């Protein structure tokens, strides 16, 4: 098995939701993890990087909060 690049091929997708609407430094923030099917899950899940970025673009268009791919 040869590794072609040092980048990680699996990622986690999460959305930070601000219930009060304020993104200030002391504001309350809820973290919602997303799974392979684009649905919220309770625990963080790993998925292929391409799929994580595809779902991130779709979630970002909904303006739910801050979308992160880790």
């Amino acid at each position: 098995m040869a590794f072609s690049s040092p980048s990680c091929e699996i990622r986690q997708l999460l959305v930070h939701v601000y219930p009060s609407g304020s993104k200030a430094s002391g504001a309350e923030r809820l973290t919602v993890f997303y799974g392979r099917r684009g649905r919220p899950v309770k625990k963080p899940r790993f998925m292929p990087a391409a799929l994580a970025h595809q779902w991130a673009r779709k979630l970002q268009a909904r303006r739910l909060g801050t979308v992160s791919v880790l």
Side-chain angles (χ1 to χ4, degrees):
M1 178 183 229
F3 294 102
S4 61
S5 67
S7 65
C8 182
E9 296 298 325
I10 58 173
R11 306 292 172 127
Q12 291 179 350
L13 176 63
L14 53 116
V15 176
H16 301 288
V17 180
Y18 301 90
S20 62
S22 173
K23 292 184 181 181
S25 60
E28 180 185 358
R29 177 177 76 179
L30 301 174
T31 303
V32 181
F33 297 99
Y34 280 80
R36 287 185 178 190
R37 296 186 180 190
R39 295 186 180 151
V41 293
K42 292 183 181 180
K43 297 190 310 186
R45 303 285 184 207
F46 287 105
M47 65 178 74
L51 184 61
H53 288 287
Q54 177 185 357
W55 279 113
R57 285 189 295 273
K58 289 182 180 185
L59 291 170
Q60 193 172 11
R62 291 186 190 172
R63 298 186 181 265
L64 298 173
T66 304
V67 180
S68 301
V69 178
L70 304 175

